[in-house]
């Protein structure tokens, strides 16, 4: 009985229809019925695959095939079906050309059309949503670009909200995203190289750069890393990010992602390269530095005085996010003499009756805060923010009244959490949340010495980190004085004469000198 069952399994495997490797090089036949049968066998059990034969003089002469939902059937009816079925063929067709030439040059003249003769390429074009046309007696197929799948309209990205600036964002359509870039850079120097990644998904990927700004070394490195990817399917740009980053075990992001086309264009003008992936609104930008993660989009749309002040506050909150819980634990546990007497008395009174050490208190409240933040993200928007805010208030107040944690610890953890929301890039903020826990443990074990040790190790890691060969801490380490104008503060745009050297590799003038605004004498005499 076992042998019989095994024999049945073998028979089922033999009956299963798969796409053979020789199909990729097999040529089409001039017989329409044979081509139809081959396509039906290849797309067996594919309910969305549609074949529409068109009869001329009572015999099938034309074969249309496409995938429902990916092809614009309304345009198909207007361009092909209505003229062929109701108007018929023109007189003297054989004298002026073949039926295939008539369809290509007259009926499909308004759409991009190409001719292919290999069966494998024909199948690939159908899977992309294009329309295939086969004509009796011709061993070639016409491929018309009639892609018409449902897609989301262009909207403001919710993950990167800006007070001032453009309100459009990328969508899941690659061609829509490339059009948003073309809208901003109307030059032939904006290049968009295309390739496909994924054995099954065949996901379209576009490499965007500005010719003459992006160095050949960077472009070759991007092409090499992308061509090395071997995977069955690409569902999002994060799949590609994990394959091409320099240090996969580092918590810090080495590739910038964004939904905003204006951010992509701003980075392309600095000599960087963008990677756009179909079916996702998130584009990748390489290389990335540590300082890119602390720069918001409105930093370049507001006046430089406001931006410099806000950026200074952002760096201050960044230090609070990294070190405030650790410094609190170190001072209370090992160095109470460094705390002012009045403040020390208040902290001691708040900790009266708390059964846990300060380090356990801080770790416990940090974990609770992270849990509430994660719950607020995963819950529906209508209740997510309410649950996270109310949960933090209720849990914190209840924990203080029960004597489990002190009120000072709750204030420290809450302040740290609020400060972490000021980080513009979510992935950099997540990295800081991860680093905060080792810093807490070091502070609980060695006090301020542990914080210093952790800070030194962190700086060494960041200085040695690379993003596509570019130092992660550039232009601070190694120091490039000309590029420091856009790190801690933002200098006026008219004073930034040259682009960043670390990506351009040379001094490229972007703004000629002599454009500083000056007061004009005027008025009535």
């Amino acid at each position: 009985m076992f042998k019989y069952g095994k024999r049945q399994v073998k028979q089922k495997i033999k009956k299963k229809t798969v796409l053979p490797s020789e199909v990729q090089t097999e040529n089409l036949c001039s017989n329409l019925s044979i081509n139809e049968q081959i396509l039906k066998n290849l797309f067996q059990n594919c309910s969305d695959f549609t074949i529409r034969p068109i009869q001329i003089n009572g015999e099938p002469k034309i074969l249309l095939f496409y995938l429902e939902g990916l092809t614009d059937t309304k345009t198909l009816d207007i361009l092909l079906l209505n003229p062929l079925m109701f108007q018929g063929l023109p007189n003297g067709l054989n004298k002026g050309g073949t039926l295939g030439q008539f369809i290509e040059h007259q009926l499909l003249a308004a759409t991009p059309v190409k001719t292919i003769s290999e069966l494998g390429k024909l199948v690939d074009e159908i899977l992309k949503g294009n329309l295939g046309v086969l004509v009796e007696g011709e061993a070639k197929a016409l491929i018309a670009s009639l892609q018409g799948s449902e897609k989301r309209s262009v909207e403001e990205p919710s993950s990167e909200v800006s007070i001032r600036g453009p309100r459009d964002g990328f969508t899941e359509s690659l061609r829509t995203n490339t059009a948003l870039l073309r809208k901003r850079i109307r030059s032939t120097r904006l290049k968009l190289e295309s390739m496909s990644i994924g054995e099954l998904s065949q996901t379209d990927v576009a490499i965007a750069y500005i010719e003459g700004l992006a160095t050949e070394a960077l472009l070759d490195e991007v092409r090499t890393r992308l061509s090395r990817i071997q995977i069955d399917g690409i569902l999002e740009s994060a799949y590609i990010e994990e394959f091409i980053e320099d240090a996969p075990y580092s918590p810090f992001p080495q590739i910038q992602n964004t939904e905003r086309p204006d951010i992509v264009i701003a980075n392309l003008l600095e000599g960087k390269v963008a990677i756009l992936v179909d079916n996702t609104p998130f584009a990748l930008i390489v290389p990335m530095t540590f300082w890119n993660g602390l720069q918001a989009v409105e930093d370049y749309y507001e006046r430089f005085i406001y931006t410099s002040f806000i950026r200074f506050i952002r760096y201050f909150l960044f230090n609070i996010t990294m070190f405030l819980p650790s410094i609190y634990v170190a001072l209370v546990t090992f160095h109470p003499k460094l705390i002012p007497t009045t403040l020390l008395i208040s902290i001691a009174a708040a900790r009266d009756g708390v059964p846990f050490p300060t380090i356990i208190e801080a770790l416990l409240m940090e974990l609770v805060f992270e849990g509430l933040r994660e719950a607020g993200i995963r819950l529906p928007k209508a209740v997510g923010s309410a649950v996270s805010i109310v949960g933090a208030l209720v849990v914190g107040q209840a924990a203080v009244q029960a004597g489990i944690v002190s009120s000072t610890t709750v204030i420290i953890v809450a302040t740290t959490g609020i400060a972490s929301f000021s980080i513009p890039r979510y992935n950099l903020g997540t990295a800081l949340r991860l680093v905060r826990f080792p810093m807490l443990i070091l502070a609980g074990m060695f006090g301020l010495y542990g914080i210093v040790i952790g800070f030194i190790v962190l700086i060494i890691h960041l200085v040695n980190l690379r993003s596509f060969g570019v130092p992660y801490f550039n232009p601070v380490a190694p120091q490039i004085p000309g590029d420091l104008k856009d790190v801690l503060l933002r200098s006026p745009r008219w004073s930034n004469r040259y682009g960043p050297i670390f990506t351009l590799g040379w001094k490229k003038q972007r703004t000629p000198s002599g454009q500083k605004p000056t007061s004009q004498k005027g008025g009535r005499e």
Side-chain angles (χ1 to χ4, degrees):
M1 187 173 181
F2 174 78
K3 292 182 179 179
Y4 174 74
K6 190 174 182 180
R7 192 179 300 113
Q8 274 190 329
V9 173
K10 288 185 177 180
Q11 290 177 356
K12 289 182 179 179
I13 293 175
K14 289 181 180 179
K15 290 181 180 180
K16 184 179 179 181
T17 302
V18 295
L19 182 62
S21 58
E22 55 266 18
V23 168
Q24 299 298 327
T25 57
E26 183 179 348
N27 292 327
L28 292 169
C29 179
S30 59
N31 191 306
L32 196 63
S33 59
I34 295 178
N35 291 331
E36 180 180 3
Q37 188 60 41
I38 293 175
L39 290 173
K40 286 183 177 179
N41 291 335
L42 293 176
F43 287 93
Q44 186 179 6
N45 298 328
C46 298
S47 59
D48 55 343
F49 179 66
T50 303
I51 296 180
R52 298 187 66 173
I54 298 179
Q55 295 184 355
I56 299 176
N57 299 326
E59 296 182 2
K61 293 292 184 179
I62 303 174
L63 199 65
L64 308 179
F65 42 93
Y66 56 89
L67 292 175
E68 287 190 30
L70 295 182
T71 305
D72 188 359
T73 55
K74 293 183 179 179
T75 306
L76 171 62
D77 292 339
I78 296 173
L79 294 180
L80 272 180
L81 296 182
N82 291 339
L84 289 175
M85 297 177 67
F86 297 104
Q87 300 176 11
L89 298 176
N91 296 327
L93 178 63
N94 294 330
K95 298 179 181 179
T98 63
L99 179 58
Q101 292 175 346
F102 167 70
I103 295 175
E104 179 181 0
H105 298 297
Q106 296 191 35
L107 299 184
L108 296 176
T111 60
V113 180
K114 60 183 177 180
T115 304
I116 58 177
S117 58
E118 295 181 6
L119 184 59
K121 293 182 180 179
L122 174 61
V123 173
D124 292 339
E125 294 294 337
I126 297 174
L127 293 173
K128 291 179 181 179
N130 294 324
L131 170 70
V133 181
L134 280 172
V135 180
E136 178 67 33
E138 299 184 18
K140 59 182 180 180
L142 298 177
I143 299 299
S145 180
L146 293 180
Q147 299 175 350
S149 59
E150 295 293 331
K151 57 185 179 181
R152 182 168 58 92
S153 59
V154 177
E155 300 171 350
E156 182 180 6
S158 58
S159 62
E160 296 174 279
V161 179
S162 174
I163 298 175
R164 180 177 178 179
R167 301 298 181 185
D168 56 346
F170 288 137
T171 67
E172 287 74 18
S173 173
L174 179 62
R175 284 302 152 220
T176 302
N177 297 340
T178 57
L180 291 175
L181 298 183
R182 286 287 183 194
K183 183 180 178 181
R184 287 169 167 80
I185 297 292
R186 299 175 181 178
S187 172
T188 56
R189 292 175 59 188
L190 175 61
K191 305 299 181 181
L192 296 166
E193 298 182 6
S194 61
M195 61 188 305
S196 296
I197 301 179
E199 182 181 357
L200 296 178
S201 64
Q202 291 292 313
T203 305
D204 293 328
V205 177
I207 304 174
Y209 63 94
I210 297 180
E211 187 179 28
L213 296 183
T215 61
E216 284 298 325
L218 176 60
L219 290 173
D220 292 340
E221 186 66 22
V222 172
R223 296 187 190 108
T224 302
R225 296 193 187 189
L226 289 178
S227 62
R228 287 202 306 254
I229 299 177
Q230 296 182 5
I231 192 174
D232 54 354
I234 298 292
L235 303 182
E236 215 273 337
S237 57
Y239 282 52
I240 294 179
E241 182 178 356
E242 292 190 19
F243 278 101
I244 64 176
E245 59 186 354
D246 290 62
Y249 295 106
S250 173
F252 291 91
Q254 299 126 58
I255 299 176
Q256 182 179 347
N257 62 78
T258 180
E259 288 186 84
R260 300 183 63 98
D262 54 336
I263 293 181
V264 172
I265 291 298
N267 283 274
L268 294 184
L269 291 173
E270 293 181 351
K272 297 184 180 181
V273 177
I275 302 172
L276 283 73
V277 184
D278 198 13
N279 302 318
T280 176
F282 286 91
L284 305 179
I285 302 173
V286 295
M288 175 187 177
T289 64
F290 175 79
W291 314 105
N292 292 140
L294 296 173
Q295 295 171 353
V297 59
E298 60 264 16
D299 287 359
Y300 302 93
Y301 297 142
E302 294 289 350
R303 296 185 63 204
F304 70 94
I305 298 178
Y306 309 150
T307 298
S308 300
F309 173 70
I310 294 173
R311 191 174 285 185
F312 174 78
I313 295 177
R314 191 179 299 142
Y315 282 112
F316 175 72
L317 295 176
F318 167 81
N319 290 321
I320 288 180
T321 304
M322 281 287 297
F323 301 111
L324 181 60
S326 306
I327 292 175
Y328 168 72
V329 171
L331 292 178
V332 172
T333 306
F334 292 95
H335 314 284
K337 293 182 180 180
L338 296 178
I339 304 176
T341 305
T342 306
L343 180 59
L344 181 61
I345 293 174
S346 300
I347 295 174
R351 284 191 45 79
D352 186 23
V354 176
F356 302 111
T358 308
I359 178 63
I360 301 299
E361 271 188 284
L363 286 174
L364 181 63
M365 290 306 300
E366 284 285 354
L367 291 173
V368 171
F369 189 87
E370 293 296 332
L372 289 172
R373 184 194 305 213
E374 190 68 17
I377 295 175
R378 304 304 164 202
L379 286 171
K381 292 183 179 180
V383 296
S385 58
V387 169
S388 59
I389 295 174
V390 175
L393 293 174
V394 172
V395 172
Q397 184 66 23
V400 171
Q401 290 182 354
I404 300 176
V405 296
S406 64
S407 57
T408 309
T409 304
V410 174
I411 294 173
I412 293 294
V413 172
T415 304
T416 305
I418 294 173
S420 66
F421 292 133
S422 65
I423 307 299
R425 299 295 166 191
Y426 177 77
N427 48 8
L428 181 61
T430 305
L432 297 181
R433 289 157 58 186
L434 292 176
V435 173
R436 193 162 63 234
F437 286 96
M439 296 292 289
L440 263 176
I441 295 174
L442 288 173
M445 294 175 61
F446 306 106
L448 292 178
Y449 299 103
I451 297 177
V452 173
I453 293 172
F455 179 72
I456 293 175
V457 171
L458 184 62
I459 290 296
I460 292 174
H461 172 70
L462 292 176
V463 169
N464 286 278
L465 203 59
R466 294 289 186 273
S467 174
F468 280 74
V470 175
Y472 197 60
F473 236 45
N474 187 84
V476 175
Q479 190 177 97
I480 303 177
D483 293 349
L484 292 175
K485 294 181 178 181
D486 192 24
V487 177
L488 299 179
L489 304 175
R490 185 179 82 80
S491 59
R493 188 164 282 108
W494 40 263
S495 68
N496 292 328
R497 296 182 55 193
Y498 300 99
I501 299 176
F502 74 92
T503 53
L504 297 175
W506 51 289
K507 280 192 174 184
K508 169 64 178 177
Q509 187 175 19
R510 297 182 61 184
T511 305
S513 59
Q515 297 194 69
K516 179 181 177 181
T518 56
S519 59
Q520 301 291 331
K521 293 183 179 181
R524 292 182 298 178
E525 295 181 358

